[in-house]
Amino acid sequence: MQDKNQTRTNRARTEATQLALLEAARGFFSTKGYAETSTPEVVRAAGITRGALYHHYEGKAALFRAVVTAEFTAVAAHIEAVSQKGEGQGLEALQLGARGYLDAMQVEGRVRIMLLDGPAVLGRAALERIDRDTSGDTLRVGLQVAIEQQHIKTLPLDALTAQLSALFDRAALSIFEGARAEDHLAVIDALILSLRT
């Protein structure tokens, strides 16, 4: 019995330490950026030792990857929640998903972490793996279903997924830089509707 309690205590302590590190790191990465963030300030803000940081993460890049993964997970959860609000399939589901993505990207610091520093620090291939692992490739699956149900034209699926994903990211960056979200949503809706069969 004591071993089980000890295991739970150790697990809880590990989770609490990791959460403290992730929250502190996210705060610095979102405001200062990756390059200007130092591990000493992260561990100070998290209230742990430097040794604890390196026990859980190999270094700043590994900690950043964990923060990026958490951001991708949060975005995927938001898109799923927004998409489930509607009864739509096909085009409507794609439109809801696009709105959910742009809405999720409004969280302070998220564009900087995911779209600016993410590719520079981790590389595009690593980000695509994180995206697949956290969102289950929901855009691709949604497009495939829409094609199979003849809601949209039959187009090369990988290319269509890549192009729409890039469109959504570009819109998020533009909105981050001050563009009107409504303008980008109007263009996205028009492009999605142009895929109609």
Side-chain angles (χ1 to χ4, degrees):
M1 184 74 158
Q2 193 168 6
D3 288 341
K4 286 184 181 179
N5 287 337
Q6 184 65 37
T7 300
R8 272 187 241 141
T9 302
N10 288 341
R11 188 178 313 125
R13 194 170 27 250
T14 295
E15 289 171 1
T17 300
Q18 289 175 334
L19 181 61
L21 280 167
L22 290 175
E23 287 178 351
R26 190 203 185 282
F28 287 111
F29 291 143
S30 69
T31 56
K32 296 175 70 171
Y34 178 82
E36 298 300 318
T37 297
S38 69
T39 54
E41 66 188 343
V42 171
V43 296
R44 259 192 319 276
I48 62 161
T49 65
R50 228 169 147 186
L53 166 67
Y54 290 106
H55 174 73
H56 295 286
Y57 302 100
E58 291 177 4
K60 186 167 90 167
L63 181 59
F64 181 70
R65 182 184 181 93
V67 169
V68 169
T69 300
E71 294 299 307
F72 270 88
T73 300
V75 169
H78 185 78
I79 292 169
E80 186 175 331
V82 168
S83 297
Q84 289 177 352
K85 288 180 183 174
E87 297 295 322
Q89 295 180 356
L91 294 174
E92 186 181 355
L94 289 172
Q95 290 172 307
L96 286 171
R99 280 169 169 68
Y101 174 75
L102 292 181
D103 185 49
M105 293 305 287
Q106 298 301 305
V107 171
E108 187 175 343
R110 192 165 275 165
V111 166
R112 182 177 207 161
I113 291 168
M114 290 175 61
L115 301 181
L116 297 175
D117 284 353
V121 175
L122 302 175
R124 176 61 44 203
L127 281 184
E128 288 173 2
R129 275 193 305 277
I130 291 170
D131 189 23
R132 277 193 308 273
D133 291 346
T134 56
S135 69
D137 221 4
T138 51
L139 176 59
R140 187 179 195 284
V141 170
L143 290 169
Q144 184 172 5
V145 169
I147 289 171
E148 289 169 358
Q149 294 178 349
Q150 299 181 344
H151 293 291
I152 64 172
K153 297 171 187 168
T154 300
L155 293 166
L157 187 58
D158 289 339
L160 181 59
T161 303
Q163 292 298 317
L164 283 179
S165 180
L167 170 71
F168 299 154
D169 286 352
R170 185 60 223 157
L173 281 166
S174 292
I175 293 165
F176 171 74
E177 293 165 354
R180 287 172 21 100
E182 298 81 15
D183 293 346
H184 284 277
L185 284 169
V187 171
I188 288 170
D189 281 345
L191 289 172
I192 289 173
L193 290 173
S194 76
L195 296 173
R196 202 169 20 199
T197 53

